[in-house]
Amino acid sequence: MKAFPELSKVDQDELVERLQQWCLANGLVMYPPNFAKFSVSCAPVTLFPTPLAREAFQAAVDVQKGFNELYANIVSQGKAFLTDILRDLSLFDRDFTGKLFETYQKALALNDGNVKQPLTLGLFRSDYMVDEKDSETSIKQIEFNTVSVSFGGLSPKVGELHNYLNNCGAYDGNYSMPYYDPDSIPISDSSEKLAKGLALADYYYDSQKDQPSTVILFVVQEEERNCFDQRHIEYLLLKEHGVKSFRLSLDEIVSDTTVNSEKLYIKKTMDEVSVVYFRSGYSPSDYAKNSDRCWQARLLLENSLAIKCPSLLTQLSGAKKTQQVLTKREVTKKFLPTISSGDFEKLMSTFVAMYPLDNSPDGKKAKKFAFEQPEKYVLKPQREGGGNNIYKKDIPEFLLKLDEKDWSAYVLMELIEPAVHANKVIRSDDVYTEDIVSELGIFGTVLFDEDEGTIMSNETAGWLLRSKFSSSNEGGVAAGFGCVDSIYLY
Ligand code: ADP
Ligand code: MG
């Protein structure tokens, strides 16, 4: 493995300027807080690609199709299993998981117990860290995301940026030669592959309905600072697949769309919507303004013929509780009946210990762990989007403030201990030289029939590396803790 380049102050300043201007010229950007629409900032990125062992990277890529299939099968074949989990979670989290589950049930009730559109699109992302505990190196899953996965649009740009900086000689102050072997900084194809996943769902919808020209509806957050990540996918949809897109917030759905003969239309243009792509709706804050109207929107979309990416049940299958239950071999095996034993072992090897905090034998054991060795664990509630977990020594104090019966709303997860690297992070005009740790996300796309269990398409769809200062527990890029990165494979 090569060490990071060492540059003089003058050379580093020049490198940073090249980096910033490349980001602005190529759309590796985000809006800053309190933005005006005409003005962006460079996305926070690392100065150099971060080393990642080739085998670890390949191991994560190799299990992606298995995970896509696992979650598709849980949704199509494990309805009773999921419903049991979700009924429990809903009791503890009435206002959010409860509302999502209730909306799913309402949609079924309005349609004789069936989902209106059985085809569902999953654009998933499985997140890992390379665990270096016990001097073993292996990828371990942080979480499996089934809704609104982000950075698939920006990730390829970071690989391109680092390739540019390498190839133009900026990483080598003395001789202006490529510092890294150019083949060792791969470029993710996630934006193309995610666009292709959406286009395929559009194609299936059209063939189902004999409808040659339909559009994709991006359901987005108002004032989204990471909208360029989404725009890159939108542009590819139009350029590569000839599919137009519209963007609406949850709050605008009821007024700006209409359902006619169960089909969903954009009211203004009367374009028929083939796919509803949620980049919002995964967190309670997405429903905070005009809450009733937002929930009504969710029901309206679920009960239209448009293919949802994802359907409510697919979104709900991504509960951290599901991930915990899947760490039991017999459960995962049941939902992957045709998997080879080699592939099954590879997939299972990505799990760290996860426990319920209930009165089951495992739960009782976990309650002891939480108080006796909290420094080995993270406590996770049923929430997405960062900033919700409780770490290490904060766990006992946190639990003691709750009624013990409410502990079941959480899962206790063994902490992964990743390698630290002395990369540099560029945020605005500041260069931070601090140890970072990285999280590898592998994207996957899967189009499946929620009723029949048929899988029409299952693909691995590129990757993402995000890094954060090792001193911070969490690494939200938009939240200001982290940055996007690329991989130096060794
Ligand atoms: P969210 O849905 O909020 O993204 P995550 O499960 O991804 O929840 O946790 C947020 C962050 O917390 C992760 O990106 C990672 O940095 C850290 N984290 C979560 N679980 C672990 C773990 N088991 N070991 C180490 N870090 C973890
Ligand atoms: Mg996460």
Side-chain angles (χ1 to χ4, degrees), residues 176 275 404 423:
S176 183
V275 183
E404 188 169 335
N423 203 339

Side-chain angles (χ1 to χ4, degrees), residues 361-385:
D362 277 351
K364 286 185 180 146
K365 212 162 62 177
K367 287 179 186 177
K368 259 175 81 123
F369 294 157
F371 284 90
E372 288 173 7
Q373 342 168 348
E375 67 286 352
K376 289 191 180 160
Y377 295 97
V378 49
L379 184 70
K380 297 189 178 184
Q382 182 41 48
R383 278 281 186 282
E384 301 300 323

Side-chain angles (χ1 to χ4, degrees), residues 22-292:
W22 193 97
C23 289
L24 293 172
N26 292 279
L28 180 44
V29 293
M30 290 175 88
Y31 276 132
N34 308 316
F35 60 90
K37 286 212 176 95
F38 59 85
S39 180
V40 293
S41 297
C42 301
V45 295
T46 55
L47 191 54
F48 308 115
T50 294
L52 183 73
R54 213 172 270 274
E55 298 92 88
F57 177 65
Q58 196 56 46
V61 169
D62 285 348
V63 292
Q64 186 58 37
K65 283 169 76 167
F67 271 116
N68 291 344
E69 186 180 340
L70 176 61
Y71 277 80
N73 287 350
I74 289 172
V75 172
S76 60
Q77 290 153 40
K79 291 202 173 58
F81 162 85
L82 258 186
T83 305
D84 280 350
I85 291 180
L86 295 169
R87 200 176 290 120
D88 284 352
L89 283 179
S90 300
L91 294 177
F92 296 111
D93 182 25
R94 255 176 232 285
D95 294 341
F96 190 59
T97 309
K99 281 287 254 182
L100 285 169
F101 186 50
E102 183 191 312
T103 309
Y104 164 69
Q105 289 176 314
K106 266 190 201 163
L108 289 183
L110 287 169
N111 195 43
D112 303 325
N114 300 310
V115 281
K116 181 74 77 185
Q117 171 56 270
L119 289 189
T120 294
L121 177 66
L123 299 190
F124 295 152
R125 200 187 67 217
S126 185
D127 290 338
Y128 305 90
M129 281 180 175
V130 179
D131 199 8
E132 304 234 312
K133 212 170 8 209
D134 312 324
S135 66
E136 220 188 300
T137 312
S138 49
I139 50 147
K140 296 293 178 192
Q141 190 178 55
I142 297 271
E143 66 161 339
F144 192 83
N145 300 283
T146 57
V147 60
S148 299
V149 303
S150 57
F151 295 113
L154 292 190
S155 174
K157 305 269 174 197
V158 193
E160 286 170 21
L161 164 71
H162 287 155
N163 269 284
Y164 157 71
L165 295 173
N166 188 46
N167 294 337
C168 76
Y171 285 156
D172 176 6
N174 294 329
Y175 305 107
S176 183
M177 299 283 284
Y179 179 82
Y180 299 100
D181 173 354
D183 292 340
S184 62
I185 313 176
I187 297 172
S188 164
D189 53 2
S190 45
S191 37
E192 277 163 48
K193 288 283 180 62
L194 296 180
K196 190 175 156 209
L198 288 162
L200 188 71
D202 173 75
Y203 172 82
Y204 266 87
Y205 180 91
D206 291 356
S207 51
Q208 228 183 16
K209 298 283 162 274
D210 195 22
Q211 165 54 258
S213 172
T214 48
V215 301
I216 292 184
L217 172 60
F218 286 46
V219 179
V220 297
Q221 294 176 341
E222 283 170 22
E223 309 287 307
E224 169 66 86
R225 288 174 48 213
N226 196 25
C227 60
F228 304 102
D229 179 49
Q230 305 165 355
R231 289 284 187 189
H232 289 310
I233 294 171
E234 176 198 321
Y235 302 151
L236 283 171
L237 266 172
L238 188 58
K239 190 168 162 207
E240 303 295 329
H241 306 280
V243 180
K244 289 194 290 183
S245 313
F246 286 80
R247 294 167 66 88
L248 291 174
S249 70
L250 267 182
D251 190 23
E252 291 168 326
I253 297 289
V254 171
S255 58
D256 292 11
T257 67
T258 181
V259 175
N260 198 338
S261 308
E262 308 186 326
K263 296 175 187 165
L264 181 69
Y265 296 88
I266 305 290
K267 205 182 249 176
K268 188 159 158 228
T269 57
M270 284 313 277
D271 278 301
E272 182 175 343
V273 177
S274 56
V275 183
V276 178
Y277 174 32
F278 286 99
R279 292 294 298 257
S280 172
Y282 56 87
S283 134
S285 56
D286 297 337
Y287 302 81
K289 195 179 121 202
N290 300 319
S291 180
D292 288 347

